[in-house]
Amino acid sequence: MGKKAANPNTGKGKKVAKELEPKSRTTTINLHRRLYKTTFKRKAPTAVKQIKEHASKTMFTKDVRLDPTLNQHLWRNGVRNLDRRVNVVFERKKNEDEDAKHKFYTLVKLA
């Protein structure tokens, strides 16, 4: 991910953090393997949490927001009957709010 800078003491490289920039990535999330053995009444809420967690790890942002159309798509068959897979787009955007904690946030949309 990051560039390596030579360590003057050992000569070996040390990872340097790379500056984030706005980016978009399309991916398929397998909800079935993430929700296996989850109680029926917790499936849709757990799916939302799992999507947010996956987006956070993939795009390196703490602030993750779900698009309302994706939320409606997840909940359209009720709390327990979810799709096994969902195609999503992760968009890392610059936070316009000046006094925000994080410089970037991730918006998750339905592909």
Side-chain angles (χ1 to χ4, degrees):
M1 176 74 207
K3 297 178 183 176
K4 290 203 174 196
N7 186 341
N9 299 331
T10 61
K12 293 182 180 178
K14 186 178 179 185
K15 286 215 170 193
V16 177
K18 189 175 168 184
E19 189 64 33
L20 291 177
E21 53 190 42
K23 186 178 181 180
S24 181
R25 177 177 289 170
T26 304
T27 186
T28 301
I29 298 177
N30 187 347
L31 291 175
H32 183 66
R33 78 174 174 91
R34 288 177 168 84
L35 301 176
Y36 177 65
K37 289 192 173 177
T38 304
T39 309
F40 272 156
K41 296 296 180 181
R42 296 291 306 150
K43 280 201 187 247
T46 307
V48 171
K49 288 175 191 158
Q50 290 292 326
I51 290 172
K52 283 186 172 188
E53 183 181 321
H54 184 70
S56 179
K57 285 181 182 177
T58 305
M59 302 303 277
F60 305 105
T61 59
K62 298 264 192 258
D63 187 7
V64 179
R65 304 171 190 178
L66 251 64
D67 192 49
T69 56
L70 174 61
N71 193 42
Q72 287 176 347
H73 180 78
L74 289 173
W75 285 87
R76 77 181 194 279
N77 293 330
V79 71
R80 60 186 227 178
N81 299 318
L82 296 172
D83 294 338
R84 287 183 169 230
R85 289 178 182 84
V86 64
N87 291 318
V88 295
V89 178
F90 296 143
E91 290 183 0
R92 183 168 54 214
K93 295 184 173 187
K94 200 164 185 75
N95 209 338
E96 300 299 326
D97 192 15
E98 294 174 4
D99 56 319
K101 275 187 180 178
H102 309 289
K103 290 183 182 177
F104 289 91
Y105 69 93
T106 301
L107 180 65
V108 186
K109 292 182 178 179
L110 190 63

